[in-house]
Amino acid sequence: ILNVEQSPQSLHVQEGDSTNFTCSFPSSNFYALHWYRWETAKSPEALFVMTLNGDEKKKGRISATLNTKEGYSYLYIKGSQPEDSATYLCAFPVGNNRKLIWGLGTSLAVNP
Amino acid sequence: DTGVSQNPRHKITKRGQNVTFRCDPISEHNRLYWYRQTLGQGPEFLTYFQNEAQLEKSRLLSDRFSAERPKGSFSTLEIQRTEQGDSAMYLCASSLGPGLGFFGPGTRLTVL
């Protein structure tokens, strides 16, 4: 059974804090890792697709790194703002058809 | 608007009725996914298409659920004889191959 695990499950930080969370995935047969941002009452927003070991992607104050050998990716948010409050999901394509296996997400709350 | 669109956005129905949802993907995307999301959970995979071919259907999906993508463009998801447990947000996503998926706004189904 292939599992994608995310930690922590939830996080509460103060405005201005920097934070990071983890996505762990099977390291064998790696193809790619996707990060999504999901705000309440909206649909998931694509953030990054990571494909190469050592990849680092950045979008504004959000960045992500990838270690395919040990099977983890970190998502970093620098100087968190209340509008960053959302659930951050990672997804891992598997099988010949690359179906996405999802983590349960990290729920981030940024207090003003 | 060139994003993924879904209709209707909300549907309230009585138990036992049939409902049909529509998803219009981004035009050049050949893959289309259906997911279901219930409170506090990540997206639960239902089925997906590559062009008009339905490549996989979740074992969690009962025979009351059927999806089509007749011309490889828009897709419909039908639920027959709805049950209260079918109440959820139904999300559609499209992608170009196994790339990063872009989600529609979702259809929220409430079964009374």
Side-chain angles (χ1 to χ4, degrees), chain B:
Chain B
D1 186 355
T2 57
V4 179
S5 62
Q6 291 186 246
N7 288 289
R9 296 289 303 275
H10 304 274
K11 179 70 178 178
I12 300 173
T13 191
K14 292 183 179 178
R15 190 174 53 187
Q17 298 293 305
N18 298 344
V19 294
T20 300
F21 311 140
R22 175 176 169 131
C23 170
D24 286 88
I26 293 172
S27 60
E28 63 268 24
H29 285 184
N30 58 348
R31 287 202 175 194
L32 187 148
Y33 300 80
W34 283 101
Y35 294 91
R36 176 171 62 189
Q37 189 250 341
T38 51
L39 195 63
Q41 300 294 316
E44 175 189 23
F45 169 79
L46 297 179
T47 188
Y48 87 103
F49 294 84
Q50 180 153 305
N51 300 313
E52 65 274 10
Q54 187 173 18
L55 294 188
E56 189 166 346
K57 184 175 175 180
S58 170
R59 287 192 294 272
L60 298 173
L61 223 55
S62 75
D63 291 342
R64 296 184 297 106
F65 287 72
S66 62
E68 293 182 343
R69 194 183 183 199
K71 297 181 181 178
S73 57
F74 73 92
S75 175
T76 57
L77 177 70
E78 182 183 14
I79 309 174
Q80 296 181 325
R81 305 181 302 282
T82 52
E83 301 172 357
Q84 287 184 324
D86 297 332
S87 296
M89 175 75 86
Y90 290 84
L91 292 166
C92 171
S94 71
S95 67
L96 188 61
L100 204 57
F102 292 88
F103 282 81
T107 294
R108 180 163 295 284
L109 173 66
T110 303
V111 182
L112 301 176

Side-chain angles (χ1 to χ4, degrees), chain A residues 54-89:
Chain A
D55 244 359
E56 183 168 347
K57 297 280 179 82
K58 191 173 180 182
K59 185 176 182 179
R61 292 178 292 98
I62 303 176
S63 60
T65 60
L66 179 69
N67 184 323
T68 60
K69 294 181 180 178
E70 296 184 36
Y72 65 84
S73 175
Y74 292 141
L75 189 79
Y76 299 91
I77 303 178
K78 184 178 178 182
S80 303
Q81 299 297 308
E83 57 264 31
D84 296 328
S85 298
T87 296
Y88 292 82
L89 293 162

